[in-house]
Amino acid sequence: MPLLMDDELDIDELFGEPTLALTPVLPPPPKGLAQRLDDLRTIGCCQKLAWSRHGCLATITRDGLGVSVCVLACDPGDGRWHLSPGDLIPQVARCHNGVPLHHLSWDPTGWLLALADARGRLSIFRASSVVNQLALTRASLSDHEDDLGAVVGLTWLTPERELHCYQMAQKTGDSFHWSLSRYKTLGPYPPPNRAALVYITRLGTLMLLYQQPDRRWAEVRKSMELPNSSDDVLSHASFCPDRDHTLLLLTRTMARKYRLYRIQIRWTAADAHPSAPAPGAATPLNPTMPVRAVKLALADLEEVDVSARMTTDEEASGSPQLSHLELLPLPPPTRNSEPVRPTILLVLSQCPGPQSPGYQETYSVLVRWELRDVTQKLHPELEKLASQTKSTASLQWSSVDLVRLEDVVVDRVVVSLQTVSQGTMLGIGYSDGLMEFRGRGDFHVVAFDGDVDRVSSLPQSGFAFPQEGPCLSVAFSPNACMAATQREESNRAPALRTLRYCLGEIGTSFADDKFSQAAVALATQYATACIQTESSDDVLGVIQQLSNAALEAAILREVYRALKPATDLSPHPTHENLFRNELVLRCLSLQDWFGHRGGRRHADVAARVARVTLQLRTASAVFGIAVASAMKRPGGGGGDAARPPPEPEMTKPETLQALLGQMRWSVELMNFLVDDVMALAQNLIGPVLDANLITDTLTLHSSCALPLLLNGTSRCFLRSLTRALGVFSNLAHRKLQSLPSPASLSSAVPSGGAASAGARQRQQYQQQQHDLLTTVLALLNHSAPVSLSVFDHLLLQLGDGVQRAYNAQPSTAMPVPVPAAAAPSANPAPDPATAAAATARSQTEREMLTGVRLVPPVLMPAVRELLTGLVPALRDQIDPAELYLRDFAWLGVAEDDADEAGTSPFGFVDDYYCCGGGGRDRYHCDYRYRSRSSLDGKWSRQRP
């Protein structure tokens, strides 16, 4: 008889009981998911989180009565990115009178935010100089209040503009090459420099809100089909633009009836009748909004057939319910790909509730239809009859054929949908915290496919979001590199998630396939944000968590290769090249951020060069604008000739006080550059000067003076700043001569009375103005060891030496231009030699700017002339001892700045940082200007 513990004994045979199949225990759905799905099923327009293109995150609070806005912020201590504390918009509660908010939406420019409440009232807020401080521009108090007037679909009209995008980077040899495509946004477009949006309510009221030329908001109201019963009330609606610059509208009723409409917006009579005269720019708009129902080839849309998937308990409780209805617009055209048409996307979800009987499966079904235009004609015999009556055109009409695409079933509940990457992908957030991307055409999951010679997106290159707990709402950042999630059980700020590299160690060499693919993918995403004028802070957050110096250097190199910014500005230092060259500013911003090591420390010379160049651009722009406004003719050629001309803005005491710190920094920087170059020349006395020796010396001492003087970009900004300060000094001297002397001001003591009070105020004003002008002139002309004229002469001679050095080399020598009279044609073909020389010069300037080659061999003649000729001659014009004893630590560019407190003589630390955000126009770059008191260490936000 076998023992009980023998291996041959079967326990089931011992007790005689059959084996039971255990049902897997699934985690319960997150708290609040049932309520979230109920909101999505009842009213489809209920977005709780939304990012603007400038990186501002707007969030509806938990109670639904307020809106909080925050931005991505970089910790100055360790460089990590996080969400700033939320700021509540104070006007929201007053506008909506305690009615819960259901939906929020940013406009395509990223400056306007629309809020819709549960009763159909809509308010609009605008961000001005600070992206997270919004002001009310349209109140909702005038809107009709109705319990059935909630908004079920809303869209902003996209301004007309041409966009650029990188479709793919393909590896050829040892480098990647990009294919850059251009495409135009689809209409209908809003009025130029104005905003407009279209929305529809549950009762079928179609509304067009637009701005008049005076920026007042107006509206056009149009009633669709009035509901006869509760089944005819709309539950979902979606808009999308089409190729013919019309707006497609898809609606769904509570009875699951779908209707498709085509909306045309005519702003003026010229839109309907081309022969009509165009109105003036200040003429009030009176638009019309014709709406035409589109006949569907199928009478009704069947949402989904899931009878094969449903269990008995599910059939008793009902089928999956619609949670999302989307009309996906056309993506940008791509090469060698099949055309993609507008697509209807339905998301139907099934989630068991706490009272659901038995076991029920949780899943979502993504159902898609493709819209295809079909032109129908009558019988040929009727066409012959119509040709005799000349009415052939009336016998053709268009309808839409619906082509059912393959359904996608996922074992999770979809809570958020968002088109990303210029509409080429769809970002999907699930209730369990999983976030994934699917292709716009085939709807396959975008993930690493093993092809390391091709880069199309970050997910395809091995980046993915971590799954960090359940969520109810998800919003992807402008570049889909970060995501904000919100939970129901907490009233805290949204949680931030960042893309992570999921393929193990990334490596340290560009020869490694995974390393090169990741570097090119991140560089492509950053370059795309630059040309799209979007915020790139989320891309920097992904790079920061990798903490790989070799990867940062490779990304910077690939960004310069992709954007091709104009770095050789010395041949043509025009205003357009200097101050509207946004691409080089974005590249310098990335270069500055890579060198940031916490606080105000910058580890390498390249980061210091980038930081100072950005500050030089800001200073030269500030003083250039001040001088240009002062030199304009007062009065503009009209008005009363007897009235005295208005006082220039730059000579007012408040303006002088604001410019004094910037002026002090500029003058001290010029003195520091001369002092550093003189010290470099002193250290290099004796040995034979070559590029490697000078580069090693600059790297050893972290000296950035010589690269700043050699590089064409920074040298042009220095010349522009020097000349602007010279003109500023002349204007200040002229103004000071026109003011009464201090003795006459102190002797003129007015007597009592109202008139004397005004005279005393005028006397105090002139006294303050006189003191500030005296301080400015002393700062610019007397207190500094290096005067403006001496420094400008040094820059001029150095620039001539650089041009001679370039022209001495055949590869960088520019051919002598042909005179206009001897030119063979008005538009001659570009000279290959000129193009090759320009390319070689640009490559040399780029290597200097990025620190790859601080002192290129081609410029060694100019460097020798500077160190052995110009610097010794400069010693005779200045006082070297006074220059040596000056304190330059507060500038933040010297070698020992990391050990200094960094406090300026005014008790403040000025920190400029170009965060890479886009702006109101194409050439705007978003700068943050902060000042920290040396007494309490607190930061305050200032305007640049």
Side-chain angles (χ1 to χ4, degrees):
M1 179 177 180
L3 298 177
L4 292 179
M5 299 303 295
D6 288 347
D7 296 336
E8 294 81 2
L9 183 61
D10 191 348
I11 302 298
D12 294 336
E13 294 180 358
L14 178 64
F15 293 98
E17 296 181 358
T19 303
L20 300 178
L22 298 179
T23 303
V25 179
L26 299 178
K31 182 181 179 181
L33 179 60
Q35 180 63 39
R36 173 63 176 165
L37 287 179
D38 185 63
D39 294 340
L40 292 172
R41 292 165 182 170
T42 305
I43 175 172
C45 200
C46 54
Q47 184 175 348
K48 306 295 184 181
L49 300 172
W51 289 85
S52 73
R53 64 182 293 114
H54 305 305
C56 182
L57 176 64
T59 308
I60 297 179
T61 57
R62 183 181 178 183
D63 56 7
L65 303 180
V67 174
S68 174
V69 289
C70 58
V71 295
L72 283 174
C74 181
D75 191 341
D78 54 10
R80 296 182 180 274
W81 291 89
H82 58 86
L83 288 175
S84 66
D87 299 325
L88 289 175
I89 304 178
Q91 301 95 333
V92 172
R94 179 175 58 86
C95 289
H96 294 273
N97 293 331
V99 179
L101 299 172
H102 276 185
H103 183 75
L104 49 79
S105 175
W106 289 96
D107 78 318
T109 64
W111 296 107
L112 295 175
L113 177 65
L115 306 178
D117 61 21
R119 296 181 180 177
R121 296 184 302 180
L122 192 135
S123 60
I124 300 176
F125 294 83
R126 182 179 184 85
S128 53
S129 59
V130 182
V131 294
N132 60 340
Q133 293 183 3
L134 283 75
L136 180 66
T137 62
R138 182 190 184 273
S140 60
L141 301 177
S142 59
D143 292 343
H144 178 66
E145 186 175 350
D146 193 346
D147 292 337
L148 292 178
V151 177
V152 295
L154 184 147
T155 185
W156 288 89
L157 300 186
T158 305
E160 182 179 6
R161 58 175 179 168
E162 187 180 63
L163 300 178
H164 304 74
C165 68
Y166 294 96
Q167 296 178 352
M168 186 181 301
Q170 189 68 38
K171 191 173 185 179
T172 304
D174 296 334
S175 60
F176 283 82
H177 298 276
W178 292 267
S179 58
L180 181 64
S181 65
R182 300 179 180 181
Y183 64 97
K184 194 175 182 180
T185 56
L186 298 177
Y189 306 116
N193 302 321
R194 300 293 182 268
L197 62 88
V198 181
Y199 68 93
I200 188 171
T201 65
R202 300 192 67 182
L203 294 178
T205 302
L206 187 66
M207 296 286 295
L208 169 64
L209 288 182
Y210 63 95
Q211 284 183 308
Q212 292 284 7
D214 57 357
R215 297 197 177 275
R216 291 185 299 106
W217 287 92
E219 65 181 38
V220 174
R221 183 187 301 264
K222 191 176 185 66
S223 298
M224 309 292 283
E225 300 178 5
L226 295 177
N228 297 322
S229 63
S230 60
D231 292 340
D232 297 333
V233 175
L234 300 183
S235 63
H236 295 75
S238 181
F239 297 88
C240 86
D242 204 359
R243 290 190 183 93
D244 57 354
H245 301 304
T246 60
L247 205 61
L248 292 176
L249 167 62
L250 180 67
T251 62
R252 176 192 183 268
T253 65
M254 297 298 294
R256 301 185 180 182
K257 299 296 182 181
Y258 292 84
R259 296 292 182 268
L260 184 64
Y261 303 91
R262 190 176 296 275
I263 304 172
Q264 183 179 8
I265 300 177
R266 299 171 180 172
W267 297 106
T268 62
D271 295 335
H273 304 284
S275 59
T283 304
L285 299 175
N286 187 19
T288 58
M289 190 169 47
V291 179
R292 177 170 59 90
V294 179
K295 181 180 179 181
L296 298 178
L298 298 178
D300 294 320
L301 300 180
E302 297 179 0
E303 291 185 350
V304 66
D305 183 11
V306 293
S307 58
R309 188 178 175 86
M310 293 168 55
T311 63
T312 305
D313 295 334
E314 289 173 344
E315 292 176 355
S317 60
S319 61
Q321 300 296 317
L322 177 71
S323 59
H324 295 82
L325 169 64
E326 296 288 341
L327 257 178
L328 301 181
L330 297 171
T334 57
R335 300 175 182 176
N336 303 325
S337 62
E338 298 182 358
V340 181
R341 299 173 177 86
T343 304
I344 299 175
L345 173 62
L346 308 182
V347 179
L348 299 104
S349 301
Q350 173 68 29
C351 180
Q355 306 298 330
S356 300
Y359 168 75
Q360 292 188 9
E361 189 176 2
T362 300
Y363 62 92
S364 292
V365 184
L366 283 70
V367 189
R368 296 175 295 150
W369 283 272
E370 193 175 69
L371 300 179
R372 298 182 180 179
D373 294 333
V374 178
T375 302
Q376 301 180 358
K377 299 182 179 180
L378 293 178
H379 193 272
E381 296 298 331
L382 294 178
E383 289 185 357
K384 294 180 181 179
L385 179 62
S387 62
Q388 298 176 2
T389 60
K390 299 181 180 180
S391 59
T392 308
S394 62
L395 300 180
Q396 298 181 3
W397 67 93
S398 63
S399 63
V400 173
D401 188 12
L402 297 179
V403 179
R404 180 72 173 267
L405 304 179
E406 182 181 358
D407 296 345
V408 178
V409 182
V410 291
D411 294 328
R412 295 174 174 85
V413 176
V414 176
V415 294
S416 295
L417 290 172
Q418 182 179 337
T419 56
V420 297
S421 186
Q422 291 81 47
T424 58
M425 294 191 302
L426 196 69
I428 304 178
Y430 299 97
S431 61
D432 60 352
L434 178 68
M435 285 172 278
E436 65 181 10
F437 300 96
R438 291 182 177 268
R440 167 66 174 80
D442 54 13
F443 254 65
H444 294 166
V445 176
V446 181
F448 179 68
D449 54 4
D451 188 359
V452 295
D453 295 334
R454 179 179 61 90
V455 173
S456 60
S457 62
L458 286 175
Q460 181 266 338
S461 303
F463 292 86
F465 281 106
Q467 188 174 351
E468 300 176 350
C471 59
L472 301 180
S473 297
V474 178
F476 294 96
S477 61
N479 299 286
C481 294
M482 292 183 177
T485 62
Q486 193 176 42
R487 299 183 181 181
E488 192 274 339
E489 61 269 16
S490 65
N491 199 22
R492 297 179 299 177
L496 186 66
R497 300 185 188 179
T498 307
L499 282 176
R500 294 180 181 176
Y501 191 70
C502 304
L503 302 181
E505 293 294 332
I506 200 171
T508 58
S509 174
F510 202 80
D512 187 358
D513 293 335
K514 291 183 179 180
F515 179 91
S516 60
Q517 186 185 34
V520 172
L522 291 169
T524 304
Q525 193 62 60
Y526 184 86
T528 302
C530 293
I531 61 177
Q532 298 281 358
T533 63
E534 293 180 344
S535 172
S536 54
D537 292 345
D538 53 344
V539 186
L540 301 183
V542 178
I543 301 174
Q544 188 276 333
Q545 66 178 358
L546 296 175
S547 300
N548 191 323
L551 181 66
E552 293 176 358
I555 292 172
L556 181 62
R557 182 180 66 252
E558 297 302 316
V559 166
Y560 272 94
R561 288 186 60 243
L563 293 177
K564 297 180 177 63
T567 54
D568 186 17
L569 304 180
S570 54
H572 306 286
T574 61
H575 182 274
E576 185 80 14
N577 293 336
L578 287 178
F579 301 107
R580 295 193 174 183
N581 189 4
E582 184 191 2
L583 294 182
V584 73
L585 296 180
R586 301 294 291 266
C587 293
L588 289 173
S589 176
L590 179 65
Q591 182 175 329
D592 175 29
W593 185 80
F594 279 159
H596 179 67
R597 294 296 180 266
R600 301 171 65 246
R601 296 173 295 169
H602 287 73
D604 52 4
V605 179
R608 296 173 186 265
V609 170
R611 182 179 181 86
V612 176
T613 305
L614 289 173
Q615 293 177 334
L616 282 174
R617 190 261 182 190
T618 303
S620 57
V622 167
F623 288 108
I625 294 174
V627 169
S629 61
M631 295 183 65
K632 289 182 179 179
R633 185 182 299 273
D640 188 5
R643 176 180 298 180
E647 183 179 1
E649 183 69 27
M650 59 161 286
T651 58
K652 294 181 179 180
E654 57 271 18
T655 305
L656 292 173
Q657 187 68 40
L659 295 177
L660 192 59
Q662 187 71 265
M663 194 180 308
R664 175 69 181 272
W665 180 89
S666 303
V667 173
E668 290 298 320
L669 177 68
M670 297 176 190
N671 288 272
F672 163 76
L673 294 178
V674 174
D675 178 67
D676 199 32
V677 172
M678 292 176 60
L680 179 64
Q682 184 70 24
N683 293 332
L684 294 177
I685 292 179
V688 179
L689 296 180
D690 63 348
N692 294 330
L693 175 63
I694 298 177
T695 300
D696 294 340
T697 305
L698 294 177
T699 305
L700 177 64
H701 298 285
S702 298
S703 175
C704 62
L706 183 61
L708 285 171
L709 294 174
L710 276 184
N711 183 259
T713 301
S714 54
R715 190 173 66 254
C716 288
F717 282 133
L718 281 171
R719 289 214 65 189
S720 175
L721 176 60
T722 305
R723 293 180 175 181
L725 289 177
V727 178
F728 194 98
S729 175
N730 294 334
L731 294 176
H733 179 73
R734 190 183 309 169
K735 180 63 178 179
L736 184 62
Q737 294 297 324
S738 64
L739 293 177
S741 62
S744 61
L745 288 175
S746 58
S747 61
V749 180
S751 57
S756 61
R760 282 195 301 270
Q761 292 180 357
R762 184 166 56 254
Q763 176 189 358
Q764 295 174 359
Y765 178 87
Q766 292 178 349
Q767 183 66 43
Q768 183 183 10
Q769 191 177 27
H770 188 280
D771 296 341
L772 287 173
L773 287 173
T774 304
T775 304
V776 167
L777 291 176
L779 179 63
L780 295 179
N781 301 321
H782 307 295
S783 63
V786 182
S787 63
L788 296 177
S789 59
V790 171
F791 189 78
D792 185 68
H793 184 66
L794 174 65
L795 293 177
L796 180 61
Q797 290 182 313
L798 180 59
D800 294 339
V802 170
Q803 294 301 321
R804 287 193 300 269
Y806 275 134
N807 293 329
Q809 297 293 329
S811 60
T812 57
M814 300 290 287
V816 178
V818 180
S825 62
N827 297 317
D831 185 14
T834 304
T839 302
R841 287 192 179 194
S842 179
Q843 179 67 22
T844 302
E845 294 285 342
R846 185 184 306 168
E847 291 177 353
M848 278 195 297
L849 194 61
T850 58
V852 175
R853 197 176 284 179
L854 295 176
V855 183
V858 68
L859 295 183
M860 275 306 300
V863 176
R864 293 190 184 98
E865 180 184 355
L866 172 66
L867 298 180
T868 61
L870 298 180
V871 170
L874 189 62
R875 292 179 179 272
D876 300 334
Q877 306 177 39
I878 63 175
D879 185 2
E882 182 183 358
L883 194 63
Y884 177 79
L885 295 175
R886 296 184 76 88
D887 181 20
F888 300 114
W890 68 278
L891 290 176
V893 294
E895 177 188 4
D896 55 349
D897 288 346
D899 302 327
E900 299 289 341
T903 303
S904 70
F906 303 107
F908 289 91
V909 171
D910 298 333
D911 181 16
Y912 290 85
Y913 184 73
C914 179
C915 67
R920 301 175 184 270
D921 52 60
R922 179 179 177 183
Y923 306 107
H924 176 79
C925 193
D926 184 16
Y927 280 86
R928 297 171 186 170
Y929 175 45
R930 304 171 297 176
S931 62
R932 183 179 61 184
S933 173
S934 61
L935 301 178
D936 56 7
K938 294 183 178 180
W939 291 89
S940 61
R941 183 183 307 160
Q942 304 289 338
R943 298 185 62 180

